[in-house]
Amino acid sequence: MKALWIAASLLMTIPVHAAPLADQLVAFFAQREPDYAKTLQVEILRQPPTQLTCSHPRFQLPSNSRRWGQLTLTAKCDQQVAVLRVAVKVKGKFYRSQQTIKQGTLVTADNIKADFGRLDQLPINSWLTPLPLPLIALQQIPAGKVLTKNQFRQPWVIKQGQTVPITLMGKGFHIAGRGTALDNAAVNQPLRIRLDNGQWLTATVNERKEIIVK
């Protein structure tokens, strides 16, 4: 029994080592990006000037930080704050143009194709989810180009100057009327409407092309 007690005491005095800093950073970014956790890698580009005094630092990114690529974040241990520079690498699905898309073209599924690769090397605002087709191309896009959100807009369902029916909805009332659109608008986008009495208000276009004022 004495021998067993001594062995147990020795086990309790063995220090529990924390995971390496790089592994802790991978866990931090995997929690932040669970959909890409399996492909995520973190390379430390600049170590803190002094060794961290705790085994499990608290990591924090600036509020305007990008999702991946070269990032700067802080590691906090009580009163100690260290600055880290890291490269976050991740792979996933994105989209390219299937062939040249001319400016003003109505883009459909035939014009695009899915691809897989390094997302951290793509332009900002690349399409990583299926595009809400159809869309209108705002510029000419060469074949094989990575697609970004600033290259497209949704088709207008309401055009400026158009006379449109309006539905005013509220608690306990539902009023129909007419007005003139002061803006172009796509589905779920706001637009200004001028009423026949000269007043104007802001409304939203729904999927049925109805203009709703709440």
Side-chain angles (χ1 to χ4, degrees):
M1 289 294 294
K2 187 175 181 180
L4 288 174
W5 182 85
I6 293 172
S9 299
L10 288 172
L11 286 173
M12 286 189 290
T13 59
I14 295 174
V16 178
H17 296 287
L21 186 61
D23 292 344
Q24 294 186 56
L25 286 165
V26 168
F28 170 75
F29 284 102
Q31 186 176 21
R32 188 169 179 255
E33 298 286 352
D35 293 339
Y36 301 101
K38 291 182 179 180
T39 68
L40 194 144
Q41 296 179 321
V42 179
E43 178 185 354
I44 301 175
L45 302 177
R46 188 176 68 213
Q47 293 274 2
T50 58
Q51 187 174 359
L52 295 170
T53 57
C54 63
S55 58
H56 294 86
R58 301 186 307 278
F59 301 114
Q60 185 173 5
L61 285 160
S63 58
N64 60 346
S65 177
R66 292 178 290 117
R67 297 176 67 180
W68 38 60
Q70 293 195 14
L71 306 175
T72 300
L73 71 161
T74 57
K76 297 183 179 180
C77 292
D78 298 323
Q79 301 302 316
Q80 183 188 26
V81 179
V83 178
L84 300 171
R85 184 71 175 168
V86 300
V88 180
K89 305 173 185 179
V90 63
K91 293 182 180 180
K93 183 186 288 188
F94 60 96
Y95 293 85
R96 296 183 183 274
S97 51
Q98 183 87 328
Q99 62 268 330
T100 298
I101 300 173
K102 294 182 179 180
Q103 182 178 2
T105 298
L106 185 68
V107 180
T108 66
D110 293 334
N111 304 120
I112 64 175
K113 62 180 179 180
D115 203 345
F116 186 91
R118 287 274 298 276
L119 303 184
D120 54 290
Q121 296 178 338
L122 298 182
I124 297 175
N125 291 329
S126 296
W127 280 104
L128 307 182
T129 57
L131 282 68
L133 301 172
L135 293 170
I136 303 294
L138 297 175
Q139 57 188 259
Q140 179 159 310
I141 304 170
K145 187 78 171 179
V146 175
L147 301 180
T148 59
K149 295 181 180 180
N150 61 344
Q151 296 170 329
F152 307 97
R153 68 165 174 83
Q154 291 181 291
W156 304 134
V157 294
I158 300 295
K159 294 186 178 181
Q160 184 179 19
Q162 182 178 345
T163 300
V164 292
I166 309 168
T167 301
L168 288 87
M169 298 178 63
K171 190 174 183 179
F173 70 88
H174 185 284
I175 303 172
R178 299 186 71 82
T180 302
L182 301 179
D183 307 294
N184 298 319
V187 173
N188 294 325
Q189 285 188 342
L191 76 158
R192 295 171 301 158
I193 301 291
R194 185 177 64 241
L195 304 179
D196 292 339
N197 61 8
Q199 293 182 329
W200 66 273
L201 45 80
T202 301
T204 303
V205 186
N206 66 15
E207 292 81 358
R208 297 187 294 275
K209 301 183 181 180
E210 298 171 332
I211 298 177
I212 306 296
V213 181
K214 296 183 179 180

